[in-house]
Amino acid sequence: MNELNTGAAEMPVAEHVHGKRRNILLGSLFVNFAVLFALYNGVINVLLPNQVALLDPAHKAANFSFIMFVTLLFTIVATPLAGALSDRVRSPLGRRSPFILFATMVGSAAVLCLILMKTVAAIAVCMVVMSFAYNMMQGPMTTIVADRLDEANRGKGSGFVGAAQTAGGMGGIILAGYLANRLFTGYAVFALAIVATSLLFVVFNREKSSAHDHVEPFHLGRFFTGFWVNPKTYPDFGWAFIGRFLMYLGIQSVITLQLYILQDYIHLDVTASNHAMAILSVITAMTLVISGLISGYLSDLLKVYKYFVVFASLVMATALSIPIMIPTLTGMYIYAAVFGLGYAAFISIDLALITRVLPKRANSSARDMGVMTIANVVPQALSPILAVPLLKAFDNNYAVVFVAAMVCVLMSSLCILPIKSVK
């Protein structure tokens, strides 16, 4: 199938920032992504699984996996849709800011409604709205790295984003672990925090007005055909997509089901498992921030991205083997430290690599970044639901989840090697 014109808008002149404005942008990206991923991880990994377990303890893993599958199934197109639409926005606030503001408000309203839901189906509806909205915000936010940082600084930008995602994610788990017995307070803290930081981001990083930009109409049919990126025409993009897909397919089940792993594999009670989640996050935070920032700067300095990603994948595969060999809380602590090293390096350098393999198509950077995001959104939907039959087949032994994750991560590293346009 040949690529079709998606009717993308005419791209304005690049709005690269330098000096003080660049430093403010980097700091703002760090704060906003940190809070966003604190919300993602705090809600999805701690607060929500605790709420689901209270509804039906005997079927908690299956119910939680179902909610995540439905949620992410409905939000697969959110990020690329936001990218395609934000490429066309004409407003005094620019192209990205209106999406960041509106989507944040909708997502936070859905988070606040979660505590009122008393059935699995109702929780799933709230999660669909929340995830769709925040993904509509995250797409334009991620594209700002390519919009406003020149190529010489994108590694630094991706390093800040990567470190923020990992640090914020772990911080969110820490906070949520101590708020797990006060679910409404937990949901409210995260929902209001992301609203505040998104408002501040837009205020301190004003975009040029796009009110008078020339744009072409949005065509839904062309939008969906635009999801197709011909791997023969853009093989490096294809390999990067598959590599990211396999990576998240592997690690997401371990990340998503970690609370239940502590309860049913390490055999901790509910209170101890929530506190252990916080301790695991502290341990990981000690390794991930430094790893993410250093990896970003080293990749720009050495101009080597592909092999950094492969090395990070191997570190994560090693980490995943530790709970299999040492199925104790100590083993989980060691796993958390080693995984943090690899994961921070992976997500920081992977973003820098992806910005360099995007198809050279006019006015499609936001959409193509959104298409690439599918490679981590779809596995988030599939991974937990695929883990359920594995657990049933192996008598609810969570070791099989770690084994499956290792296989996927190692396959991911092999997919990065054929990339030719990036060292």
Side-chain angles (χ1 to χ4, degrees), residues 170 279-289 335-337 339-341:
M170 297 304 106
I279 296 171
L280 288 168
S281 298
V282 171
I283 293 172
T284 304
M286 293 172 63
T287 61
L288 62 85
V289 174
Y335 149 79
F339 185 82
L341 288 172

Side-chain angles (χ1 to χ4, degrees), residues 369-389:
M369 283 293 288
V371 171
M372 182 59 75
T373 303
I374 293 173
N376 52 291
V377 174
V378 172
Q380 288 179 46
L382 293 177
S383 189
I385 209 75
L386 291 175
V388 173

Side-chain angles (χ1 to χ4, degrees), residues 161-218:
V161 171
Q165 289 178 359
T166 48
M170 297 304 106
I173 291 174
I174 294 169
L175 180 58
Y178 287 99
L179 294 175
N181 293 326
R182 293 172 287 165
L183 288 175
F184 180 78
T185 300
Y187 286 136
V189 166
F190 289 116
L192 297 178
I194 191 60
V195 169
T197 57
S198 294
L199 287 170
L200 291 173
F201 182 93
V202 170
V203 169
F204 283 100
N205 298 279
R206 291 291 299 275
E207 291 183 74
K208 291 180 180 178
S209 171
S210 62
H212 302 293
D213 288 350
H214 170 72
V215 297
E216 296 181 13
F218 175 74

Side-chain angles (χ1 to χ4, degrees), residues 219-376:
H219 297 286
L220 189 62
R222 291 181 181 179
F223 166 75
F224 281 110
T225 58
F227 277 94
W228 174 248
V229 179
N230 193 330
K232 290 184 178 180
T233 306
Y234 304 106
D236 287 352
F237 184 88
W239 283 117
F241 183 96
I242 296 170
R244 176 181 269 206
F245 186 99
L246 288 170
M247 172 62 67
Y248 282 96
L249 185 66
I251 66 175
Q252 195 59 44
S253 59
V254 176
I255 294 172
T256 302
L257 298 174
Q258 187 164 266
L259 183 66
Y260 300 155
I261 288 171
L262 290 169
Q263 292 174 358
D264 299 337
Y265 184 61
I266 308 301
H267 305 297
L268 303 179
D269 62 30
V270 173
T271 300
S273 60
N274 279 306
H275 289 168
M277 290 280 286
I279 296 171
L280 288 168
S281 298
V282 171
I283 293 172
T284 304
M286 293 172 63
T287 61
L288 62 85
V289 174
I290 296 174
S291 176
L293 292 174
I294 289 179
S295 297
Y297 279 100
L298 283 179
S299 66
D300 278 345
L301 178 65
L302 301 175
K303 307 299 181 184
V304 175
Y305 302 93
K306 180 170 69 174
Y307 296 110
F308 266 95
V309 173
V310 172
F311 177 74
S313 301
L314 296 177
V315 172
M316 281 188 280
T318 300
L320 289 163
S321 71
I322 294 171
I324 300 171
M325 297 182 292
I326 313 173
T328 65
L329 190 54
T330 299
M332 291 296 294
Y333 289 158
I334 299 171
Y335 149 79
V338 179
F339 185 82
L341 288 172
Y343 187 51
F346 173 80
I347 65 173
S348 60
I349 306 306
D350 183 59
L351 179 56
L353 182 148
I354 285 168
T355 62
R356 287 164 170 78
V357 299
L358 289 176
K360 305 300 182 183
R361 305 186 292 184
N363 315 317
S364 66
S365 60
R367 184 199 59 204
D368 291 332
M369 283 293 288
V371 171
M372 182 59 75
T373 303
I374 293 173
N376 52 291

Side-chain angles (χ1 to χ4, degrees), residues 409-422:
V409 168
L410 291 172
M411 291 174 62
S412 168
S413 68
L414 295 176
C415 291
I416 300 300
L417 293 175
I419 293 174
K420 297 179 180 179
S421 62
V422 180

Side-chain angles (χ1 to χ4, degrees), residues 39-76:
L39 185 152
Y40 280 154
N41 284 266
V43 170
I44 294 173
N45 294 331
V46 181
L47 300 180
L48 185 63
N50 272 282
Q51 184 176 358
V52 171
L54 290 174
L55 293 178
D56 184 359
H59 302 94
K60 60 187 179 184
N63 287 338
F64 183 67
S65 297
F66 169 77
I67 290 171
M68 294 309 301
F69 176 75
V70 172
T71 297
L72 294 161
L73 185 67
F74 278 92
T75 56
I76 288 170

